[in-house]
Amino acid sequence: MDIKQLKFLVALDETRHFGQAAARCHVTQPTLSMRLRQLEDELGLELVRRGQRFEGFSAEGERILAWARSVLAAQDGLLAEAAACRGHLVGTLRLGVVPLASFDPMRLVSLFAERHPGLRFQLHALSSDQILERLVRNQLDLGLSYLDRLDREHFTSLELAEARMGLLYDQRHFHFTSSSLRWEQLASLPLGLLSTGMHFRQSIDHSFRARGLSPLVRLEADAVHHLTQAVSAGLCCSVMPLPANGSPTDGHLRLLPIEDAHTLAPQGLILRRSAPASPLAQACFEEAREWLANNR
């Protein structure tokens, strides 16, 4: 058994396709398949269910896969620890971000990139539950998510921002004369919102219900760019977070503040407490703490 076989196994899980996994690992598909069979022979277990294409993992394969991720995480941690001992941070920081985060993740990414030119970054748009799950499984290093359902025994966090909301609209299709809007005014507008169940959507629904209002939801989507496209097409307006530096304009799009509009919980940067500890994640978390203390 060697580390490459474990990388092949994890790549297959992430791509769910033999050819794509081989391409990601820079080997041919026959080589990847052969090495995985060698791993199965050595362990005496069938890990991968095969037909004419990839059909998933066996129950035993799922258990071995969890160990493979831990071994690869330990290798990454070893390399990161060695680099930290030399005064450098290297590797890939995996950051999960909820849709419509009020805190711009690029502010943190830019901070880390400036201080550590050798770092690479992966950003994943995920729900708050998915972020916590992937942190536990060591598939993410840090999460930018809501803090209301956080288990403080297993996670530590830095509060970043309380999200305020604004109405995103295209001035070619809608026109408003006031500098802010009330929820009562939004109730009569065609709206495009995130899918029901997403945290930001729950805050919007709560704000309408608390006032006895029923919004006119014309479109629902689980991707922010689809909402933006619908707004640009004039199909609807949408409720978006207000950035900390004001209400920006982008072409014909405008973002108008909504009075008394807040999410149900603040957002924060989240770090897993349990092993294996990531020197990279811990170092970036502490740098974020220092940066926040100096920029409150």
Side-chain angles (χ1 to χ4, degrees):
M1 184 189 306
D2 61 44
I3 206 76
K4 285 186 177 180
Q5 289 169 301
L6 303 183
K7 289 182 178 180
F8 295 165
L9 194 67
V10 170
L12 184 59
D13 178 46
E14 292 177 348
T15 61
R16 317 301 286 185
H17 189 279
F18 285 106
Q20 293 176 17
R24 175 180 291 193
C25 297
H26 308 291
V27 297
T28 64
Q29 183 172 331
T31 296
L32 181 134
S33 296
M34 178 189 68
R35 296 301 304 280
L36 289 179
R37 288 193 182 277
Q38 290 174 346
L39 179 62
E40 290 176 317
D41 291 342
E42 183 172 348
L43 297 174
L45 296 169
E46 180 188 50
L47 305 178
V48 180
R49 297 201 306 269
R50 299 171 177 85
Q52 294 193 354
R53 58 180 62 87
F54 175 73
E55 295 182 355
F57 291 92
S58 65
E60 296 81 4
E62 293 286 356
R63 294 169 64 179
I64 297 301
L65 182 62
W67 280 102
R69 289 190 181 279
S70 295
V71 171
L72 294 178
Q75 183 199 33
D76 290 342
L78 184 152
L79 295 175
E81 189 71 57
C85 291
R86 299 193 302 270
H88 303 288
L89 281 185
V90 297
T92 300
L93 183 73
R94 303 162 299 173
L95 179 64
V97 183
V98 290
L100 296 182
S102 58
F103 186 90
D104 182 0
M106 292 307 157
R107 297 171 67 187
L108 288 177
V109 171
S110 297
L111 168 70
F112 302 147
E114 180 181 352
R115 295 191 179 188
H116 310 288
L119 280 185
R120 300 183 302 276
F121 302 91
Q122 291 180 357
L123 267 65
H124 304 270
L126 302 164
S127 70
S128 52
D129 288 338
Q130 288 173 324
I131 287 174
L132 295 181
E133 179 185 349
R134 295 196 186 191
L135 284 170
V136 168
R137 296 176 62 185
N138 199 29
Q139 294 175 315
L140 291 175
D141 298 301
L142 296 172
L144 200 168
S145 184
Y146 297 96
L147 302 180
D148 56 333
R149 287 176 279 186
L150 198 63
D151 183 346
R152 303 291 175 173
E153 182 179 350
H154 297 100
F155 301 97
T156 185
S157 65
L158 298 172
E159 185 171 325
L160 297 175
E162 179 186 29
R164 296 176 57 241
M165 301 179 189
L167 184 76
L168 184 71
Y169 68 97
D170 191 308
Q171 61 181 355
R172 294 171 298 180
H173 307 289
F174 295 89
H175 180 67
F176 302 96
T177 57
S178 58
S179 59
S180 64
L181 294 171
R182 293 175 289 106
W183 287 103
E184 288 77 6
Q185 293 171 276
L186 269 64
S188 61
L189 296 172
L191 295 177
L193 301 177
L194 280 179
S195 301
T196 302
M198 289 190 170
H199 204 297
F200 194 80
R201 171 65 184 277
Q202 292 174 357
S203 297
I204 296 170
D205 291 343
H206 173 79
S207 294
F208 279 118
R209 284 197 306 269
R211 294 164 176 81
L213 301 172
S214 298
L216 175 60
V217 181
R218 189 173 191 186
L219 180 145
E220 293 181 298
D222 58 7
V224 175
H225 71 274
H226 289 152
L227 295 178
T228 305
Q229 289 172 336
V231 171
S232 295
L235 292 173
C236 56
C237 303
S238 188
V239 180
M240 298 280 179
L242 280 178
N245 57 354
S247 303
T249 59
D250 182 10
H252 296 289
L253 298 183
R254 298 292 183 269
L255 190 57
L256 196 59
I258 302 169
E259 297 174 12
D260 192 24
H262 307 275
T263 55
L264 296 174
Q267 293 175 358
L269 188 66
I270 302 172
L271 173 70
R272 182 186 70 252
R273 291 185 185 273
S274 58
S278 165
L280 179 59
Q282 290 179 324
C284 289
F285 187 84
E286 291 305 319
E287 289 183 359
R289 186 197 303 275
E290 175 189 346
W291 179 80
L292 286 170
N294 295 329
N295 289 275
R296 290 292 188 186

